[in-house]
Amino acid sequence: MTTEYGLKRHFNGDAARLIGGKIREVHPDFDVDEYAVEVERRIPGKELKDRVLVLAEGLRSRLPEDYPESVKIILAILGDELAEGEGMFNVSWYLMPVARFVEEYGLDHPEVSLDALVEITKRHTAEYAIRPFIEQHHELTMKRMADWARDPSHNVRRMASEGVRPRLPWARTLTAFVRDPQPVLEILEPLRSDPSEYVRKSVANNLNDISKDSPDVALATALRWSQESPTPETTWIVRHALRTLVKKGNQEALAIVGVTGGEHIRVPAMGLHPRTLALGESTMIRLDVENTDSRRHTVTVDYVVHHVRKNGQRIPKVFKLTTLDLAPGERRAVEKSHPVREVSTRRYYPGEHLVDIQVNGQVLATDRFDLRL
């Protein structure tokens, strides 16, 4: 039997029995065993989103034909709202097909569906399910999301931000917001100093999405927020939101997050040990960073690994190293162990991998390691 990994492995006949058992408590006609057998029969070879769809389709064929009546049954099984810090993927993961049910079958009933998504997102998330409603019932949905951005529930406020992210991972791209992010910014405005870390992460990720397509808009927004809302919460959001531009060495982004003096910084020593690696091993990156100026400077230090691809070309990946506050003339030693191990988003190939040290977005030193498979 093949061992399955990742979240998808949970969406099987056991998940169907879990969901079906809860439904049968409020809707006794629901056939749990038949539901589980169908799901087990249909999921082999399918990835996460398709498995979730199988479970949602099974619900649709077994719940009342009247959609609002089906939604009432589904809402009755949701349970308590997630508290701050409770994860939707470890506490209420099994509700993913419930959100998918509304996404797939609720577009003809937008009012009922949007009310349902508010309740679902308090216990799981509706960040994916909301997107077709943004596209097909735009005015109504955006009005609701503007209200949700001021909701007492941190889960609802977070969904207001996450749902309008132009490039939300695992979700369809909202191309209208890629072209014009202003409607997104209107949703984010009341969240720029939110007390919830869960919400702040979403706001920062959203503005980071915008920075990839409209960097000038993101920079202007980040600068305005920093000036108008000088709170620790806003400072964190802005710093995290500009991370892509900072890694690219955008000087305006660096200035906004308080990084200065890149032209006065040297890396007089840098090296890797060992310089020959097998997959699964690590190399230690050691370097010195020196401020040659007569003034104190705060600098951000990253390292860039140029991974060898199958065709022999190299693709750079930026890794965060540290931020240093350097006194005039100060020289600071920094070290970092970099593991070379397989991850789901990267495959390694043998060859010479370059490693750059990047200070305030400028490459100041380079070394290399040889990967042998």
Side-chain angles (χ1 to χ4, degrees), residues 193-247:
S193 188
D194 199 272
S196 166
E197 180 182 9
Y198 192 43
V199 177
R200 292 196 300 271
K201 285 182 178 179
S202 176
V203 174
N205 287 336
N206 201 327
L207 193 56
N208 184 56
D209 279 1
I210 293 171
S211 77
K212 297 172 184 178
D213 299 296
S214 303
D216 291 343
V217 173
L219 287 165
T221 301
L223 179 60
R224 180 172 58 81
W225 285 3
S226 297
Q227 294 171 340
E228 295 177 356
S229 178
T231 68
E233 291 81 8
T234 301
T235 298
W236 187 93
I237 288 174
V238 166
R239 181 175 292 275
H240 196 61
L242 296 181
R243 63 189 185 275
T244 296
L245 294 177
V246 166
K247 287 179 178 179

Side-chain angles (χ1 to χ4, degrees), residues 72-287:
K72 288 181 182 179
I73 294 170
I74 284 176
L75 294 183
I77 74 166
L78 295 182
D80 297 333
E81 179 171 355
L82 292 177
E84 180 85 29
E86 285 188 307
M88 62 185 175
F89 290 126
N90 53 30
V91 175
S92 55
W93 59 270
Y94 62 90
L95 292 177
M96 191 177 286
V98 172
R100 187 67 180 269
F101 179 92
V102 177
E103 177 182 354
E104 294 292 329
Y105 306 112
L107 282 169
D108 291 337
H109 302 269
E111 295 278 4
V112 172
S113 295
L114 292 173
D115 287 344
L117 291 179
V118 168
E119 297 306 315
I120 291 169
T121 208
K122 293 177 182 178
R123 284 88 175 174
H124 180 61
T125 184
E127 64 203 64
Y128 310 111
I130 195 68
R131 296 169 90 80
F133 291 89
I134 292 173
E135 294 176 337
Q136 297 193 33
H137 301 285
H138 184 79
E139 185 175 348
L140 170 65
T141 305
M142 293 301 288
K143 183 180 183 304
R144 288 288 195 96
M145 298 191 85
D147 294 337
W148 295 342
R150 294 171 171 81
D151 195 273
S153 166
H154 67 281
N155 291 306
V156 176
R157 297 197 307 276
R158 187 258 186 186
M159 205 268 279
S161 168
E162 200 73 0
V164 294
R165 280 183 61 182
R167 297 187 179 276
L168 178 67
W170 296 6
R172 69 177 79 184
T173 298
L174 294 175
T175 54
F177 292 160
V178 171
R179 292 193 298 267
D180 177 16
Q182 189 56 43
V184 178
L185 295 174
E186 292 173 6
I187 300 295
L188 298 185
E189 196 67 30
L191 303 173
R192 66 187 187 182
S193 188
D194 199 272
S196 166
E197 180 182 9
Y198 192 43
V199 177
R200 292 196 300 271
K201 285 182 178 179
S202 176
V203 174
N205 287 336
N206 201 327
L207 193 56
N208 184 56
D209 279 1
I210 293 171
S211 77
K212 297 172 184 178
D213 299 296
S214 303
D216 291 343
V217 173
L219 287 165
T221 301
L223 179 60
R224 180 172 58 81
W225 285 3
S226 297
Q227 294 171 340
E228 295 177 356
S229 178
T231 68
E233 291 81 8
T234 301
T235 298
W236 187 93
I237 288 174
V238 166
R239 181 175 292 275
H240 196 61
L242 296 181
R243 63 189 185 275
T244 296
L245 294 177
V246 166
K247 287 179 178 179
K248 291 181 176 179
N250 183 288
Q251 296 304 302
E252 188 175 349
L254 289 164
I256 291 173
V257 301
V259 171
T260 62
E263 68 275 18
H264 300 290
I265 303 301
R266 294 195 314 126
V267 178
M270 182 255 182
L272 306 179
H273 182 78
R275 297 179 66 185
T276 300
L277 300 175
L279 193 62
E281 297 180 339
S282 299
T283 185
M284 182 64 72
I285 306 170
R286 292 189 174 93
L287 61 140

